[in-house]
Amino acid sequence: MQRIHSSGTKAARPAQAVTLRSFINDAFEAPLVTLDVYTLTSESLDAHIRMQAERIRDREISPDRIAVRMLLPSEELRLPYPRTKDDPADLRLQNRLHEITKRHSASLREALRDLRTDDLVPAVDIGIRHVPLVPTFKLYLLNGNEALHGPYEVIERTIELDDGAEVVALDVLGLGATLTHYEREDDPNSPGTVFVGSMQSWFDSIWDMLAQ
């Protein structure tokens, strides 16, 4: 479970329900769903998209359009994490990361496209682009009105590779990362409104100018 701190005053959302899943659940209940994500891998997003696809197939929700854009680091980058703690030149963990990302990117594309081909959602758009940037934070922009933002914390942990070898790695918290919630308000100068607007502008600029 990701810990999420809120900067807003949305009293209707009980503290115990404040999770990334609850925010994405709410976002997918809108007729027009937009989700912009900047992250290190596509693993978490794939899991959440598949949960929403099941809700749609169960007729729990029925959006008219889903548009997802995801920014990932370029595979040409030499990432500082994850890497072998005592051997920065060892690329096994970076290669593992790329394989995980490819697998989950293909999975979420399939989940969304199946909703369209099965006539469950009239319009579905999915875009995945890569940028020459190392993510130091993850960002979710939900329906243009909310943002979830959290820094990646570097940790030391042991990772087991496919061949059974165990590697002491410098990695980052993913599912356990703390996220802060921001929401647009009527006041154009409120911290939430300014933050959501600035991060949406940042995302759009990276998507249009740097991403491939």
Side-chain angles (χ1 to χ4, degrees), residues 20-182:
L20 177 57
R21 177 177 178 177
S22 70
F23 282 97
I24 293 183
N25 280 350
D26 288 352
F28 270 77
E29 290 172 2
L32 305 178
V33 180
T34 63
L35 181 59
D36 291 337
V37 179
Y38 174 62
T39 183
L40 183 63
T41 77
S42 53
E43 187 172 6
S44 295
L45 184 60
D46 178 32
H48 287 290
I49 290 294
R50 289 196 164 273
M51 282 190 281
Q52 299 311 312
E54 286 302 311
R55 295 179 70 204
I56 292 170
R57 292 186 180 279
D58 291 341
R59 310 294 179 176
E60 181 181 339
I61 54 175
S62 55
D64 296 321
R65 180 173 183 263
I66 300 173
V68 176
R69 297 188 297 177
M70 180 166 58
L71 288 171
L72 295 167
S74 170
E75 290 188 6
E76 297 176 0
L77 279 178
R78 190 72 168 269
L79 298 173
Y81 42 72
R83 70 168 176 83
T84 303
K85 179 182 178 183
D86 298 324
D87 186 5
D90 183 353
L91 297 180
R92 288 179 298 170
L93 291 178
Q94 186 162 313
N95 292 335
R96 173 180 177 272
L97 179 78
H98 293 325
E99 290 303 315
I100 290 173
T101 298
K102 288 177 182 177
R103 182 167 65 252
H104 287 284
S105 295
S107 174
L108 72 89
R109 281 186 188 273
E110 178 184 42
L112 288 172
R113 286 174 175 170
D114 285 350
L115 293 175
R116 182 177 58 202
T117 57
D118 293 343
D119 294 324
L120 293 169
V121 179
V124 175
D125 299 302
I126 169 68
I128 299 175
R129 296 184 181 179
H130 296 81
V131 290
L133 301 173
V134 176
T136 57
F137 61 89
K138 61 169 53 182
L139 172 70
Y140 293 83
L141 295 165
L142 310 169
N143 294 346
N145 293 317
E146 295 180 278
L148 298 172
H149 174 274
Y152 282 113
E153 177 185 345
V154 180
I155 61 171
E156 179 180 322
R157 73 184 184 101
T158 300
I159 296 177
E160 182 176 345
L161 303 178
D162 290 341
D163 62 3
E166 292 188 347
V167 177
V168 178
L170 295 181
D171 200 0
V172 291
L173 285 175
L175 293 175
T178 298
L179 298 176
T180 302
H181 170 244
Y182 300 85

